[in-house]
Amino acid sequence: MDTTRGTRGGIGARRVVIAPDSFKGSIGAAAAAEALAAGWRSVEPDAVVVLRPMADGGEGTVAAFAASVPGSRRMPVTVTGPDAAPVEADWLLLPASADAPAGTAVVELASTSGIELLGERRLPWDADTTGFGQAIVAALDHGVSRLVLGIGSSASTDGGAGLLRALGAGFSGVDGAPIAPGARGLRDLERVDLSGLRAVPPGGAIVLTDVTNPLVGPAGAAAVFGPQKGFDADGVQEADAALARFARLVGADPATAGSGAAGGAGFALHAWGAGLVPGAPQVAELIALEAAVAAADVVLTGEGSFDGQSAAGKVPSFVSAVAREAGVAVALVAGRIAPDAATAAFAASVSLTVLAGSPEASLADPARWLHEAGASLARLLPRG
């Protein structure tokens, strides 16, 4: 049990909570938190450093929980990746609790069906979410009481058809044969059979997402996120029409906020019976961030790119609000800080690009520059 009192209590070393998101495509949240902690301790070795790596449902969600929840266990699973190749992944088993007596499973789309698994390739018509569904099935087969599902960083725009098929749904074309994986198959869809779907576990399923987009339309999955997955303008229109058809046949509302997340995986999971929730607040609750911040003297948070959109539900703005409510100073570390970014809420801010001298240098060795950022903030932020 940690009985060390921070300077807020007037005795002992300063207590520092480190709660960054992942620096996407560069370093995960847990590793980023470790590097910041090492940098801070290089200046202030007696500091009491508490790591609470954060996530909003995307890349690094499993790692964030693993680093913050004592007794959690990684459960290996081999799944079908977004390009149909085998992927070695894992889901996380959280310890039993009063509301989840058989434990809670944290399953992440990014590590099973994510865009990073494709490297530089893009498969707009063929990538799908089968692997994510297979990992969910593995957790259900284990007998967990509850699911926490992170759905950021998707490679596909399949409406979640792949994950539903893994859970027992059937999708066929006019000839009765199963449709092809991905958005390509949705164009041929004629019949949906949900009678074989696995049941949601007794404690329910929640879906962590940082977007509120609907499934279809100008703000939908294809229009907003399709280009980054490889669709051209004509492809966006075709995919949007295919998703609209899919929604009609499934019989669920494509306008539900968050249903367009992860290429429509949010839609599929909501149709299955899961609840869509903002990612950062739910992760914070499960890792007890608020209690850790309340006992801190200073908080560090961050993400890869802090810009004008970061205030809309992203991790740094959420952590800043928690710290402000507790009356604790909070500092920001980001790979880059855009000119339009609002940083007034932070006691200090550090850009890894500025520290390293260029974006390329920062990305080449993020742990080194996070260490430097931690040390810099330890010097910059006064005690008390």
Side-chain angles (χ1 to χ4, degrees):
M1 179 178 179
D2 178 13
T3 58
T4 306
R5 296 176 63 190
T7 55
R8 296 186 85 193
I11 300 174
R14 188 154 50 162
R15 192 176 187 94
V16 184
V17 169
I18 301 182
D21 196 354
S22 65
F23 287 58
K24 190 172 183 179
S26 174
I27 188 170
E34 290 281 3
L36 285 166
W40 189 286
R41 289 193 186 105
S42 71
V43 174
E44 197 174 307
D46 63 339
V48 178
V49 180
V50 177
L51 303 186
R52 288 292 185 270
M54 280 285 291
D56 54 18
E59 177 187 7
T61 297
V62 163
F65 278 103
S68 302
V69 180
S72 58
R73 286 193 292 145
R74 288 183 178 267
M75 311 293 285
V77 62
T78 302
V79 301
T80 302
D83 58 355
V87 170
E88 299 298 323
D90 52 42
W91 57 276
L92 190 71
L93 179 62
L94 304 184
S97 62
D99 56 351
T104 295
V106 182
V107 190
E108 178 186 281
L109 186 149
S111 63
T112 53
S113 302
I115 197 166
E116 297 293 333
L117 297 174
L118 297 179
E120 297 301 315
R121 293 178 299 151
R122 295 295 178 263
L123 301 172
W125 287 108
D126 300 303
D128 85 330
T129 50
T130 295
F132 183 44
Q134 291 170 337
I136 294 171
V137 168
L140 293 174
D141 287 345
H142 188 81
V144 297
S145 299
R146 181 174 60 175
L147 292 170
V148 175
L149 308 172
I151 63 168
S153 305
S154 168
S156 65
T157 311
D158 74 338
L163 73 89
L164 288 178
R165 185 150 44 188
L167 286 166
F171 303 105
S172 56
V174 68
D175 58 357
I179 61 171
R184 185 181 305 280
L186 297 185
R187 297 185 300 184
D188 302 321
L189 182 63
E190 291 290 338
R191 183 171 179 270
V192 171
D193 180 4
L194 303 180
S195 62
L197 272 178
R198 297 283 294 268
V200 173
I206 58 172
V207 181
L208 310 179
T209 177
D210 65 346
V211 303
T212 58
N213 301 69
L215 180 65
V216 296
V224 175
F225 306 112
Q228 71 191 43
K229 297 173 186 180
F231 282 117
D232 59 18
D234 290 340
V236 165
Q237 290 187 1
E238 287 187 61
D240 188 68
L243 289 171
R245 179 180 183 80
F246 178 60
R248 287 194 301 273
L249 291 169
V250 169
D253 185 3
T256 301
S259 61
F267 169 81
L269 291 168
H270 188 255
W272 182 45
L276 304 178
V277 299
Q282 190 65 47
V283 172
E285 180 180 338
L286 289 166
I287 68 172
L289 177 70
E290 188 174 325
V293 169
D297 298 296
V298 64
V299 176
L300 308 187
T301 188
E303 64 179 352
S305 178
F306 190 79
D307 55 29
Q309 297 182 11
S310 294
K314 300 292 186 179
V315 165
S317 61
F318 176 80
V319 173
S320 173
V322 172
R324 186 166 58 251
E325 181 69 20
V328 179
V330 59
L332 171 72
V333 180
R336 64 178 285 273
I337 299 176
D340 66 339
T343 59
F346 299 97
S349 58
V350 175
S351 162
L352 302 188
T353 295
V354 172
L355 276 182
S358 71
E360 293 76 18
S362 169
L363 290 167
D365 195 354
R368 172 190 173 186
W369 298 109
L370 284 161
H371 185 287
E372 289 292 324
S376 175
L377 288 170
R379 298 186 192 98
L380 186 61
L381 296 170
R383 289 177 179 264

